[in-house]
Amino acid sequence: NRPRPQKHHFPYIGLMACGACGCSITAEEHRKPSDRRYVYYRCTKKRGPCHAPAVAAATLENQIREEYGFEGTPIRLLVRKK
């Protein structure tokens, strides 16, 4: 079996786990009719129900900056491109 081709690039996939249940985190992209793009990270719920809320990409980036002391650093400099 070949891996499915990726349609999106979500830089934080595989770097963290759900704080509530320990499952991996996945991302979803939503687009409004105005073509505005929204990216959310959420629990995969592979081990059963999980009530952890989805987190917007911008909120997650701010949490990463605060946690690791990168305030003021553009997030694109912190994530290695594939």
Side-chain angles (χ1 to χ4, degrees), residues 30-38:
H30 297 271
R31 287 189 184 261
K32 294 286 186 181
S34 64
D35 210 34
R36 185 168 165 109
R37 178 180 178 243
Y38 295 91

Side-chain angles (χ1 to χ4, degrees), residues 11-66:
Y12 307 115
I13 298 296
L15 298 178
M16 61 193 92
C18 176
C21 70
C23 288
S24 36
I25 298 293
T26 191
E28 294 180 347
E29 179 184 76
H30 297 271
R31 287 189 184 261
K32 294 286 186 181
S34 64
D35 210 34
R36 185 168 165 109
R37 178 180 178 243
Y38 295 91
V39 176
Y40 296 94
Y41 289 85
R42 64 169 181 81
C43 179
T44 57
K45 302 177 184 177
K46 294 266 185 187
R47 298 180 189 156
C50 179
H51 302 289
V55 178
T59 302
L60 180 64
E61 290 169 357
N62 288 336
Q63 289 176 359
I64 291 169
R65 282 190 191 104
E66 290 172 8

